Amino acid sequence: NAGVTQTPKFRVLKTGQSMTLLCAQDMNHEYMYWYRQDPGMGLRLIHYSVGEGTTAKGEVPDGYNVSRLKKQNFLLGLESAAPSQTSVYFCASKWAGGPNTQYFGPGTRLTVL
Amino acid sequence: DAKTTQPTSMDCAEGRAANLPCNHSTISGNEYVYWYRQIHSQGPQYIIHGLKNNETNEMASLIITEDRKSSTLILPHATLRDTAVYYCIVVIQGAQKLVFGQGTRLTINP
């Protein structure tokens, strides 16, 4: 049971480049989330999904797109990276309803030059 | 969701009990108190949650006051590995989202 995994672990981009971060979970969770965390700050929700084929905006969605084509995967895309998107990105998942126990991945450290 | 207030930082000696307070004076009747922690550079980890009764698990104890306006997370015998940022979150059961505040940075000293 791998839990929540994230790919890649580290990435450096130049301004204007695009990339996709992959989150995968093997717990059959319905809900999945993407957060970002800037140095010394708490986590901020970017986008989330309550089921396959559905996505919703979180607190800071601008500059990001997401897709949930398969229940186990949640993709976060940056179409044109900006230095302000330099951050650590965390993915999480949980079961629908019930306890608010989110399971987090190890994070992706992204630097945009 | 109700707002929470936590101290910015705390220190505790290794082997002693660490008591982390959280104020949530506007909590409503159907909101739970959740605690997560984030060890440096790792993803947050769920610790414990409760509605109104005190709760205990293998990681910690949660004490909620009778009026539910505040709570305390207790790490009974803190170790160096408990050094982390601890987040107190108030939320209804089954909510779609959690809101993480700034949390309390707990440092366990040898």
Side-chain angles (χ1 to χ4, degrees), chain A residues 31 33 35 37 40 42-43 45 48 50 90 94 97-102 104-105 109, chain B residues 34 36 38 41-44 46 49 87 91-98 100-102:
Chain A
Y31 292 5
Y33 305 85
Y35 295 88
Q37 186 172 37
L43 283 82
L45 183 63
Y48 65 102
V50 299
F90 290 102
K94 70 177 284 286
N100 293 98
T101 306
Q102 293 189 13
F104 283 80
R109 187 173 298 273
Chain B
Y34 276 76
Y36 281 75
Q38 186 175 23
S41 299
Q42 298 181 21
Y46 163 81
H49 74 279
Y87 298 98
V91 65
I92 61 171
Q93 200 73 307
Q96 291 184 353
K97 299 179 287 183
L98 294 177
F100 288 82
Q102 297 299 309

Side-chain angles (χ1 to χ4, degrees), chain A residues 14-57:
Chain A
K14 293 181 180 178
T15 297
Q17 287 185 320
S18 63
M19 78 163 294
T20 300
L21 282 68
L22 170 64
C23 176
Q25 52 94 4
D26 60 2
M27 296 173 282
N28 205 33
H29 288 166
E30 289 83 7
Y31 292 5
M32 295 187 74
Y33 305 85
W34 276 108
Y35 295 88
R36 62 175 288 174
Q37 186 172 37
D38 300 327
M41 305 286 288
L43 283 82
R44 292 185 292 170
L45 183 63
I46 305 171
H47 286 280
Y48 65 102
S49 168
V50 299
E52 186 177 323
T54 70
T55 62
K57 294 181 180 180

Side-chain angles (χ1 to χ4, degrees), chain B residues 9-13 105-109:
Chain B
S9 63
M10 294 182 64
D11 286 88
C12 180
R105 183 172 298 277
L106 175 67
T107 302
I108 307 300
N109 300 305

Side-chain angles (χ1 to χ4, degrees), chain B:
Chain B
D1 297 333
K3 179 179 170 57
T4 62
T5 304
Q6 299 178 251
T8 302
S9 63
M10 294 182 64
D11 286 88
C12 180
E14 188 178 19
R16 306 296 293 267
N19 296 280
L20 291 92
C22 180
N23 286 322
H24 32 79
S25 59
T26 61
I27 192 170
S28 59
N30 63 345
E31 288 182 312
Y32 285 69
V33 180
Y34 276 76
W35 283 85
Y36 281 75
R37 74 178 182 184
Q38 186 175 23
I39 296 171
H40 181 61
S41 299
Q42 298 181 21
Q45 174 191 27
Y46 163 81
I47 301 173
I48 197 167
H49 74 279
L51 181 63
K52 54 184 178 180
N53 297 321
N54 297 338
E55 302 287 344
T56 295
N57 63 20
E58 65 278 3
M59 290 182 68
S61 294
L62 174 60
I63 308 298
I64 302 174
T65 58
E66 194 167 343
D67 63 7
R68 302 210 322 123
K69 293 185 177 182
S70 66
S71 60
T72 301
L73 177 74
I74 300 173
L75 308 178
H77 304 288
T79 70
L80 298 178
R81 287 175 294 185
D82 292 321
T83 292
V85 177
Y86 288 77
Y87 298 98
C88 170
I89 302 170
V90 171
V91 65
I92 61 171
Q93 200 73 307
Q96 291 184 353
K97 299 179 287 183
L98 294 177
V99 177
F100 288 82
Q102 297 299 309
T104 295
R105 183 172 298 277
L106 175 67
T107 302
I108 307 300
N109 300 305

